[in-house]
Amino acid sequence: TIGDGKGIIEEKPKEPEIFTTVEIDAKFAGNWKAFLERNLNPNTPTDNNAPEGSYQVIVQFVVDVEGNVSDIKSLTNHGYGLEQEAVRVLKKAAKWEPAIQNGIKVKAYRKQVITFQVLGE
């Protein structure tokens, strides 16, 4: 007879857990402020007729153990193209330094705030 119940079952490799809280957050490898100044379009809110004020866009994404960014999404919804601009800029960001948990690089969520200012005349 075929199959005596002692067959070998291959286990699929598990996807690494994505941490929501870590000892050391992932961080941008380089000067974040300079990166934003080079890549972010500061006129996005003005071009889209946003009223005067300060707008904090919160973007969440995953940084893997190699420092690659994925699953970028906005957690705010101010409109005026702000969230789209923040996501666009994050997609251009090169490698990040991965988060650290128990001394080991881990795949983790990261939240980043990007503030847009609309000044009065």
Side-chain angles (χ1 to χ4, degrees), residues 74-99:
S74 176
L75 301 179
T76 54
N77 188 14
H78 297 294
Y80 311 109
L82 303 181
E83 283 76 16
Q84 292 86 343
E85 178 61 8
V87 168
R88 182 193 70 79
V89 166
L90 265 167
K91 285 180 178 172
K92 294 181 76 166
K95 299 265 186 180
W96 285 61
E97 293 176 22

Side-chain angles (χ1 to χ4, degrees), residues 9-118:
I9 298 168
E10 284 189 48
E11 279 191 39
K12 292 189 176 116
K14 280 191 202 148
E15 272 293 306
E17 177 183 355
I18 302 176
F19 287 80
T20 50
T21 55
V22 290
E23 292 166 347
I24 302 170
D25 266 331
K27 67 178 185 193
F28 185 70
N31 184 327
W32 178 248
K33 186 172 186 249
F35 170 78
L36 286 181
E37 287 170 354
R38 275 195 318 274
N39 295 285
L40 190 73
N41 178 358
N43 299 321
T44 297
T46 314
D47 293 348
N48 291 295
N49 302 312
E52 186 178 327
S54 179
Y55 300 88
Q56 285 198 328
V57 175
I58 302 169
V59 183
Q60 177 180 280
F61 48 96
V62 174
V63 178
D64 70 15
V65 294
E66 277 91 44
N68 301 306
V69 172
S70 64
D71 299 334
I72 303 169
K73 69 178 180 191
S74 176
L75 301 179
T76 54
N77 188 14
H78 297 294
Y80 311 109
L82 303 181
E83 283 76 16
Q84 292 86 343
E85 178 61 8
V87 168
R88 182 193 70 79
V89 166
L90 265 167
K91 285 180 178 172
K92 294 181 76 166
K95 299 265 186 180
W96 285 61
E97 293 176 22
I100 306 285
Q101 183 68 26
N102 297 325
I104 300 167
K105 293 178 183 179
V106 294
K107 186 174 186 179
Y109 286 103
R110 174 80 160 90
K111 288 183 180 134
Q112 185 68 45
V113 176
I114 298 177
T115 303
F116 291 88
Q117 296 278 339
V118 181

